Amino acid sequence: MVLEQLKTQLKTAAIKFDSSLLAIDIDGLHQKRAALAKEQEHPDLYNDIKKAQKITTEYARICEYLDNIAALKIEIKNLDELLEIIDDELMDELKQSINVLEKNVEKLHLATLLKGDYDGYNAIVSVHAGAGGTESCDWAGMLYRMYKMYCDKNGFNHEEFERINGDEAGIKNVTFIVKGTNAYGFLKAEKGVHRLVRISPFDSNSRRHTSFASIEVMPEIENEGEIKIAGEELKIDTFRSGGAGGQSVNKTESAIRITHIPSGIVVSCQNERSQLLNKESAMKMLMSKLAERRERELAEKAAGIKGEMKKIEWGSQIRNYVFQPYTMVKDLRTGHEDTDVDKVMNGGIDEFILEFLRKS
């Protein structure tokens, strides 16, 4: 009976995999990869560093995507063959392998549904502690750790741009970039306010506290002329970046803060020692914020649901995390919930993201 169930489970996954391939232009991706490989061989490519970076990044993204598809195809074939010769002792191990395959096929399937202009891009993520002092700063730090662990589990690279630590614990704000195929497409599901209910470790009377933190997610945009910014629209300030004291303290004003006057958007970067590199990263964040805002405004106008769009993104909670008196993480948009809060806080948020994409 168990063997037949596993065969049915694998067959269903294989059908979904095949249907996903129908939505992917595999031949076109192979051709594009070959063309990019040829461009990388051009002797003058690195005369234009930005162009070279764009080509190498796109090439790596396509290679990763095609390699993943090829690996899934091989895995389905191997599991199908194992089902014909498996013995009872290895049945549980095979079941786990099929469960993992199912999840990976589902991710591939949902990736074919990511049709937004920026879904395939890297993501710039910001975590902001809400009102509540140390409690909220600690909660923001916990969320930052959760997202880093999610990235590590899913093969995304992450790099911190800027962080302001809390006065006693946690962080007030942190901005970091997540690099990998469809990073923005998946992580955009996390935009909004996250609410925590727990017995505070900072309260000597062991009372329950509620804390809030906001998550902002933007695609990493390289300005290719679509977004025009005049020099007089920018206010650029320099300041001394934070860091260790003593001999390691940064004595130069290498950190950059840029204010886009028409929109009021402010970005800053201090992770590099070089003022020039910090300015480049800050400009990239500004472009990303402007592009994300433009995409949101176009979607609001097209759908005629401006109020609903605001409700989804800012000024309202999208997910509750309850640690006491019971354990439960529940997404208020999709209804998806999980009682294993340790798994979730250790980066196990895949199902929340996938359920959001299914219902988007």
Side-chain angles (χ1 to χ4, degrees):
M1 179 64 72
V2 175
L3 181 60
E4 290 304 316
Q5 289 176 345
L6 291 179
K7 285 184 177 180
T8 301
Q9 192 177 350
L10 180 60
K11 183 177 181 181
T12 301
I15 290 172
K16 179 169 279 191
F17 174 75
D18 290 339
S19 67
S20 299
L21 292 187
L22 294 175
I24 302 170
D25 183 7
I26 298 292
D27 290 340
L29 286 173
H30 279 291
Q31 291 171 9
K32 190 170 184 179
R33 181 170 68 175
L36 289 170
K38 190 172 183 179
E39 284 191 67
Q40 289 184 92
E41 296 173 357
H42 197 285
D44 297 329
L45 175 64
Y46 286 92
N47 290 339
D48 186 337
I49 297 299
K50 287 190 174 181
K51 180 182 177 181
Q53 288 177 336
K54 182 178 179 182
I55 289 173
T56 54
T57 299
E58 180 68 3
Y59 177 76
R61 184 187 71 81
I62 292 175
C63 286
E64 179 187 359
Y65 192 53
L66 290 174
D67 289 347
N68 179 50
I69 291 172
L72 285 175
K73 189 173 183 178
I74 292 171
E75 183 71 3
I76 290 171
K77 182 177 181 294
N78 290 342
L79 289 173
D80 187 47
E81 292 174 352
L82 280 173
L83 281 172
E84 299 302 322
I85 59 173
I86 197 71
D87 55 42
D88 291 340
E89 291 184 3
L90 296 175
M91 196 68 73
D92 287 342
E93 184 178 338
L94 183 61
K95 184 177 181 179
Q96 290 178 5
S97 296
I98 292 177
N99 287 339
V100 171
L101 173 74
E102 267 190 325
K103 290 182 180 180
N104 289 332
V105 168
E106 179 69 3
K107 284 183 181 179
L108 176 67
H109 173 67
L110 290 171
T112 66
L113 304 178
L114 296 176
K115 301 299 184 182
D117 290 342
Y118 305 119
D119 282 345
Y121 285 37
N122 296 331
I124 296 175
V125 183
S126 296
V127 182
H128 307 279
T134 299
E135 287 290 339
S136 292
C137 288
D138 189 51
W139 175 225
M142 293 165 66
L143 287 173
Y144 181 34
R145 175 182 177 274
M146 181 183 79
Y147 289 123
K148 289 193 293 183
M149 294 189 74
Y150 166 78
C151 291
D152 294 339
K153 290 174 185 290
N154 287 274
F156 292 123
N157 295 318
H158 51 84
E159 178 185 341
E160 191 173 293
F161 274 153
E162 181 188 34
R163 174 167 60 178
I164 301 176
N165 291 324
D167 294 332
E168 297 180 39
I171 57 173
K172 293 180 180 179
N173 298 290
V174 64
T175 298
F176 59 102
I177 186 169
V178 178
K179 297 181 179 181
T181 303
N182 293 322
Y184 175 71
F186 286 116
L187 284 170
K188 67 182 180 182
E190 297 299 294
K191 294 181 186 180
V193 177
H194 297 239
R195 173 177 176 259
L196 169 68
V197 178
R198 66 170 174 175
I199 294 174
S200 170
F202 305 101
D203 188 331
S204 59
N205 294 315
S206 298
R207 291 172 294 189
R208 272 195 299 160
H209 284 248
T210 299
S211 306
F212 296 89
S214 294
I215 308 299
E216 183 181 8
V217 186
M218 305 163 293
E220 182 196 29
I221 302 295
E222 296 282 356
N223 189 24
E224 296 179 341
E226 292 184 17
I227 300 173
K228 304 291 185 181
I229 299 179
E232 59 269 20
E233 295 178 344
L234 300 178
K235 179 176 182 290
I236 301 177
D237 299 303
T238 61
F239 59 99
R240 186 175 299 174
S241 62
Q247 293 182 340
S248 299
V249 70
N250 188 359
K251 297 180 175 63
T252 62
E253 292 193 341
S254 60
I256 292 288
R257 181 184 298 110
I258 300 177
T259 303
H260 184 243
I261 297 170
S263 66
I265 292 173
V266 180
V267 296
S268 59
C269 186
Q270 61 178 11
N271 68 310
E272 303 286 355
R273 288 286 182 180
S274 161
Q275 188 180 105
L276 182 63
L277 291 174
N278 278 328
K279 182 178 180 182
E280 186 176 322
S281 294
M283 282 299 297
K284 188 176 292 186
M285 281 193 281
L286 176 60
M287 294 295 176
S288 297
K289 280 179 177 281
L290 290 172
E292 192 274 341
R293 190 180 73 159
R294 183 182 65 178
E295 183 183 37
R296 184 175 68 247
E297 289 174 347
L298 289 173
E300 290 168 0
K301 183 177 180 181
I305 53 171
K306 186 170 184 177
E308 183 179 345
M309 290 291 289
K310 284 186 176 180
K311 188 174 181 181
I312 288 173
E313 297 199 7
W314 285 104
S316 67
Q317 64 206 54
I318 63 165
R319 193 176 300 150
N320 288 333
Y321 303 71
V322 181
F323 290 7
Q324 284 97 11
Y326 56 91
T327 57
M328 175 70 71
V329 181
K330 183 170 183 177
D331 196 293
L332 303 180
R333 302 162 300 176
T334 65
H336 183 73
E337 57 187 45
D338 194 329
T339 58
D340 190 345
V341 295
D342 288 335
K343 180 190 76 175
V344 174
M345 297 311 300
N346 286 325
I349 58 173
D350 301 75
E351 286 303 319
F352 289 96
I353 291 174
L354 297 180
E355 192 63 24
F356 173 83
L357 294 176
R358 290 184 190 108
K359 296 186 176 181
S360 294

